[in-house]
Each structure stands twice: as C-alpha cells, then as structure tokens.
Amino acid sequence: RALLRSFSPPGGAAAQKITAMSLPPECSLEATPLPVCFAQAQAAYHWVDGSSLGGADPALQQRVADGLAFAEKAAELVSSLSVFSANEELEDINTGDLKYLLLPFLRAELILRIQPEEAAGCHDVRLKHLRHAAALLEAFLRDLEARRALRAEARAGWEEACADRPLDAAASRTLKVSRLRAASRAKKALEALEARARGAAAAASADRDDGDEEAGREAALVSLEACSHAALDSLRGVAQEQELLEAVAAARRENGGAPTVEERESERAR
C-alpha cells in the first residue's frame, strides 16, 4: 500500500504535545468541543504515522480507534454547527476553520491503518475499510476542488484520477514528477512556517496578532496542498490493494468459498 509516510498534517510540535494530553475522566466524547476533538484526532494521526510499532500492535490499534472516534465526532460537529456553507470558497473561510477541511483526509488515513484480525472474513472487512477510505479521500478532494483550493499540480492529478481514460505513459510520468516536486515544496514551506512560528512564540511579542493570523492562514493553505497530494497517492494505493483483494475474493468464489492456494501457502508460512 502507498500510504502517507513523508508528510503529516499541520500541527507539528504542537500536535505532538497534544498527543500526551488526556481528557478528564468526567469529560465524555459527546461533551468534547470541536477544537479539542480535532486536536485529538490530529495528534492520534501524528502518533500513529510516526510510530515504530507494527501495524497490528494493540497499542497502535487502540490509538487508531481513539483518533478515529475523535475525528468522527469532529466531523459530526462541523456538520451540526454549519461551520462551512456549500458555496463558500477558500478565501471566504475563517483562518481558524480551515483546518477542519482536513477531517475527511484524517478519517481516511486512520481507517486505512485499521488492521482486521486474521480470521474468516478479514478480507471482506479490509475491503469495506478500503471502500470507506476511498470515499472519504474522494470527498476531501472534491470539496477542495469545489472551494477552488486545489493548486495546479494537485488539480491536474485529481483530473487524471477522475478521467475515463488514463493519460499516456509520458504524460503520466511528467505529472507524477510535477506532483512530487509540488508536495516536496509544500512540505519544506510548512516546516519553515512552523519554525518561524516557534521563533515568534519564543519571542513572546505583544504585537504578533496580525502576523499570527497571516502565518496561520499560510500554514493551513500549505497543509491543504500537501494533504491533497497525499490523498491522491493514498487513492492510488487503495485502488491497487482493492483490486488485489477483489481478485482473491473472486478466486475464492470460484473455489467454492474455500481458501485459495495462495492463501493456504501464506497461512502455512505464518
């Protein structure tokens, strides 16, 4: 699977600090406000994405489940509070709300990290997760497109993904290279913005409000750009894995529901 490894959503050091934060026992998920739900979901993603634990490790899977619960609750609150209107373009959205556009992406990436237990039907469970994640990634990219938030390279990649016919090999390679460069530029720009923000915080100037707003908006926009490229990469990985699992399911049906030769050999190897 081609999952996002080289880039994490915005937050950096701040998100890592939130990782260690726990909610008071008396504070239920239902009572958690939107900003905290989002911060917890984002922190869970950072923790999982940077973890050295195996994908099926119980601690990692618990963190995935917790992060997904916060992300789902945040998405519910964004809808119930009408944070966005359908006809709002990027320039119309408040800086503090821009991060919530990332929620479908965060939800999809956490879902892709769910590892179903090795048991009968685990392939069906994985397929369900892949389809759910793909729908969220597509919704994320469609939303950015509708709000004129996709920059040139990501927009071209999304158009390629939606096209009825694939690009010729040369054009596809050219687009891939341009997207890789754009994603790399976005990552470096975000790192520079985060470093600048840390420096400003250390200075503790009383005159930082306007600069904070401008830098925060720039960081959010760069984050959206980088995540749009990551979403396109994840969609490609999801399609490849889904094709493989559907082929296994078809082979199993032809085999009367029994495990295929490849599955039996894989089981013996374990």
Side-chain angles (χ1 to χ4, degrees):
R1 264 187 312 141
L3 295 180
L4 175 62
R5 290 295 176 194
S6 61
F7 177 79
S8 296
Q16 295 299 334
K17 291 179 182 177
I18 296 170
T19 301
M21 182 180 76
S22 58
L23 296 176
E26 68 275 9
C27 183
S28 69
L29 177 61
E30 289 302 312
T32 306
L34 174 57
V36 176
C37 281
F38 178 84
Q40 289 286 338
Q42 186 184 52
Y45 174 83
H46 276 280
W47 190 93
V48 171
D49 193 55
S51 176
S52 60
L53 296 175
D57 187 281
L60 186 138
Q61 286 300 305
Q62 184 60 56
R63 200 71 172 96
V64 168
D66 292 344
L68 193 52
F70 279 111
E72 298 286 1
K73 181 59 180 177
E76 178 186 318
L77 288 170
V78 165
S79 176
S80 64
L81 296 172
S82 300
V83 173
F84 304 116
S85 63
N87 60 349
E88 260 185 328
E89 295 188 0
L90 197 64
E91 62 186 18
D92 303 318
I93 298 173
N94 292 331
T95 296
D97 293 336
L98 284 172
K99 59 182 176 287
Y100 300 131
L101 293 173
L102 287 167
L103 277 168
F105 173 80
L106 290 175
R107 291 165 64 198
E109 291 294 330
L110 287 168
I111 287 169
L112 287 174
R113 285 158 173 77
I114 297 174
Q115 292 282 339
E117 294 182 4
E118 291 290 340
C122 66
H123 284 147
D124 294 336
V125 173
R126 181 60 182 169
L127 272 170
K128 180 180 178 181
H129 292 160
L130 289 172
R131 289 167 183 150
H132 189 187
L136 287 167
L137 291 168
E138 289 169 358
F140 170 64
L141 290 164
R142 278 197 304 271
D143 190 38
L144 294 189
E145 180 184 36
R147 299 184 191 282
R148 299 179 185 272
L150 283 179
R151 297 192 180 179
E153 294 85 356
R155 186 171 63 252
W158 178 230
E159 289 170 354
E160 180 192 25
C162 295
D164 294 331
R165 295 181 181 180
L167 295 175
D168 64 72
S172 183
R173 281 194 301 272
T174 299
L175 177 55
K176 182 178 180 179
V177 169
S178 69
R179 284 211 310 105
L180 284 171
R181 289 174 177 168
S184 178
R185 286 195 301 270
K187 180 182 177 182
K188 290 177 181 177
L190 187 59
E191 289 171 349
L193 286 166
E194 289 180 339
R196 190 191 312 166
R198 287 192 294 271
S205 168
D207 304 320
R208 289 189 353 251
D209 288 350
D210 290 343
D212 281 353
E213 170 78 13
E214 183 179 345
R217 190 169 189 86
E218 186 178 358
L221 295 178
V222 172
S223 298
L224 286 170
E225 179 187 6
C227 286
S228 66
H229 289 292
L232 288 166
D233 292 338
S234 285
L235 269 177
R236 185 176 292 107
V238 165
Q240 292 169 352
E241 185 179 355
Q242 188 172 334
E243 183 179 359
L244 176 62
L245 290 181
E246 286 174 346
V248 170
R252 183 182 289 169
R253 286 193 298 270
E254 291 176 3
N255 201 32
T260 63
V261 173
E262 291 80 4
E263 288 177 295
R264 290 196 296 270
E265 290 178 349
S266 176
E267 183 63 32
R268 281 197 295 270
R270 284 200 293 270

